[in-house]
């Protein structure tokens, strides 16, 4: 049978190469009388493959350690995911392959119903201007738990200006939102107490803080 394989090769001058060799036997009745083949220098291609593999490894390591989900999706009603990083499970409760191509669920289905229109309008306005977008909204994970997320992304355009995809990053900001809400409620409670108190209250600010006289 014909063969086709790659192997390391050393020239007479000691230069290290990679070559691809292909060959086919020439038969005369039931006997091989010769082999016709070709040996091609593929060192540059091999080098490019090694560099690409190393780049992909670094990118994979980077995304595995980022606190959130990197993605590439289509600009459609479902935000159809074409790629999501593995940490999407921490964010959504779904494995990556469940979201890609809407295999089990679309990302749009995870977005809080009250926030879907806002998300669509904000992103599409930014895409129309070819601007980056940055917005916070709510999602429900696979267990039905409400989370606040921050999404940053941008459009990916072809050479002729057509929108090919959207790429970005989504991170969980639920704890930050809870802290902000707790602070807001505390300040509101203090303001109401201050306004409704029958006593005279004076706020005095010093260089090392503030004290209250009642």
């Amino acid at each position: 049978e014909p063969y086709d394989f790659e192997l390391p090769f050393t020239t007479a001058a000691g230069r290290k190469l990679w070559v691809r060799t292909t060959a086919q036997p020439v038969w005369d009745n039931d006997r091989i009388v010769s082999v016709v083949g070709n040996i091609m220098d593929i060192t540059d291609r091999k080098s490019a493959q090694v560099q690409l593999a190393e780049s992909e490894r670094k990118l994979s390591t980077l995304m595995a350690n980022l606190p959130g989900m990197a993605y590439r999706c289509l600009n459609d009603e479902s935000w159809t995911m074409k790629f999501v990083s593995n940490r999407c499970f921490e964010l959504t409760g779904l494995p990556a392959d469940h979201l890609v191509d809407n295999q089990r669920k679309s990302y749009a289905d995870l977005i809080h119903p009250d926030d879907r229109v806002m998300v669509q309008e904000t992103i599409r306005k930014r895409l129309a201007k070819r601007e980056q977008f940055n917005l916070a909204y709510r999602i429900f994970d696979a267990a039905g738990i409400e989370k606040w997320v921050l999404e940053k992304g941008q459009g990916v355009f072809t050479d002729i200006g057509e929108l090919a995809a959207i790429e970005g990053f989504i991170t969980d900001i639920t704890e930050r939102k809870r802290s902000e809400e707790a602070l807001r409620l505390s300040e509101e409670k203090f303001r109401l107490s201050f306004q409704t108190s029958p006593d005279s209250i004076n706020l005095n600010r010093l260089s090392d803080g503030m004290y209250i006289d009642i």
Side-chain angles (χ1 to χ4, degrees), residues 23 41 45 78 111 140 148 151 155-156 212:
D41 184 352
R45 193 191 79 189
S78 300
I111 300 175
F140 288 108
W148 275 95
E151 179 175 356
V156 178
I212 301 175

Side-chain angles (χ1 to χ4, degrees), residues 25-34:
V26 178
W27 292 82
D28 182 6
N29 295 323
D30 295 332
R31 187 171 63 92
I32 298 176
V33 295
S34 63

Side-chain angles (χ1 to χ4, degrees), residues 108-119:
D109 290 336
L110 302 178
I111 300 175
H112 194 293
D114 294 342
D115 293 347
R116 288 174 187 170
V117 173
M118 179 274 293
V119 171

Side-chain angles (χ1 to χ4, degrees), residues 171-188:
T171 187
D172 187 345
I173 58 168
T174 305
E175 290 303 318
R176 191 185 85 184
K177 278 289 185 178
R178 287 174 180 169
S179 298
E180 291 174 351
E181 180 64 11
L183 178 60
R184 186 190 68 79
L185 292 175
S186 177
E187 291 175 344
E188 179 68 12

Side-chain angles (χ1 to χ4, degrees), residues 19-153:
V19 299
R20 176 186 177 189
T21 177
T22 60
Q24 181 169 317
V26 178
W27 292 82
D28 182 6
N29 295 323
D30 295 332
R31 187 171 63 92
I32 298 176
V33 295
S34 63
V35 177
V36 177
N38 179 57
I39 298 176
M40 180 187 303
D41 184 352
I42 59 168
T43 306
D44 289 344
R45 193 191 79 189
K46 272 290 186 179
S47 178
Q49 289 176 342
V50 170
Q51 292 177 16
L52 177 60
E54 178 64 11
S55 177
E56 290 178 342
R57 184 195 64 78
K58 290 179 179 179
L59 181 60
S60 178
T61 300
L62 174 63
M63 289 192 295
N65 288 281
L66 289 173
M69 180 181 85
Y71 71 88
R72 181 185 177 95
C73 74
L74 301 180
N75 181 34
D76 58 17
E77 294 296 326
S78 300
W79 303 119
T80 301
M81 293 294 171
K82 305 307 291 183
F83 164 82
V84 291
S85 60
N86 288 331
R87 294 196 71 171
C88 75
F89 184 81
E90 296 177 19
L91 183 72
T92 68
L94 295 170
D97 59 354
H98 285 198
L99 281 177
V100 172
D101 290 327
N102 307 325
Q103 289 292 322
R104 297 289 183 86
K105 207 173 189 67
S106 73
Y107 184 76
D109 290 336
L110 302 178
I111 300 175
H112 194 293
D114 294 342
D115 293 347
R116 288 174 187 170
V117 173
M118 179 274 293
V119 171
Q120 290 177 346
E121 291 182 351
T122 300
I123 293 178
R124 285 174 181 163
K125 285 179 181 178
R126 293 293 185 272
L127 291 176
K129 298 179 180 179
R130 296 199 178 190
E131 296 176 345
Q132 292 183 337
F133 56 85
N134 186 339
L135 70 160
Y137 57 90
R138 294 164 293 174
I139 66 169
F140 288 108
D141 68 11
I145 298 173
E146 181 180 296
K147 295 180 178 179
W148 275 95
V149 298
L150 177 66
E151 179 175 356
K152 298 181 179 181

